[in-house]
Amino acid sequence: MSERPPDLNAFFTDIAIIDQLVDAFLVRRLPRGLSLAGFGVLNHMVRMGQETASPAALARALQVTRGAVTGVLRKLSAEGFITLEPDPKDGRGKKVRLTPDGFAARQAALDATAPLVARFESEMDLAAIRRIHPELRRIREYLDNNRDL
């Protein structure tokens, strides 16, 4: 009897549900003034090692419209998490720069997840996670590199 191929719809559905559950957990623990979308911007910039970025680049990376990212950036700026500065290479453009408060807000959000991470670590098979993580990374990279399909 041949092995059935994996049910890719169920696979992607499970990933989407995990994403929703993590987002809901995080939303309840975000620092005052920081939305989930704002955390996404801060986290992306720190994760990518970017102290500055353009709004257009952030919109592309986060898969949102420039209008959507502009609204998030306005709120982050009002909270003091970022500054919006003129782009010296493009007179009409802006550069987003993380502030110390932005770095701190992102870290506070991550620190607030410590109870979930600790419980997860104590109840899950970490060896299995270590084995599957490289494959999940490859899937993420494939999807990231093929966004326009």
Side-chain angles (χ1 to χ4, degrees), residues 127-142:
I129 291 169
R130 282 187 200 94
R131 283 192 307 274
I132 64 172
H133 185 230
E135 197 59 35
L136 287 173
R137 179 177 289 128
R138 279 191 284 283
I139 292 166
R140 178 190 49 83
E141 289 169 353
Y142 173 85

Side-chain angles (χ1 to χ4, degrees), residues 2 7 35 43 45 52 55 70 76 86 94 124 134-135 144 148:
S2 67
D7 182 343
S35 67
N43 195 49
M45 290 181 72
T52 63
T70 298
L76 289 171
K94 298 275 187 206
M124 300 300 292
E135 197 59 35
D144 198 24
D148 297 327

Side-chain angles (χ1 to χ4, degrees), residues 45-58:
M45 290 181 72
V46 172
R47 189 175 64 83
M48 299 306 291
Q50 296 175 316
E51 200 170 305
T52 63
S54 72
L58 288 170

Side-chain angles (χ1 to χ4, degrees), residues 100-148:
D101 285 348
F103 281 103
R106 182 233 184 215
Q107 189 59 52
L110 293 178
D111 291 346
T113 67
L116 173 65
V117 172
R119 184 170 177 181
F120 188 89
E121 185 176 24
S122 71
E123 296 180 14
M124 300 300 292
D125 181 350
L126 296 183
I129 291 169
R130 282 187 200 94
R131 283 192 307 274
I132 64 172
H133 185 230
E135 197 59 35
L136 287 173
R137 179 177 289 128
R138 279 191 284 283
I139 292 166
R140 178 190 49 83
E141 289 169 353
Y142 173 85
L143 294 172
D144 198 24
N145 292 326
N146 292 280
R147 293 177 181 200
D148 297 327

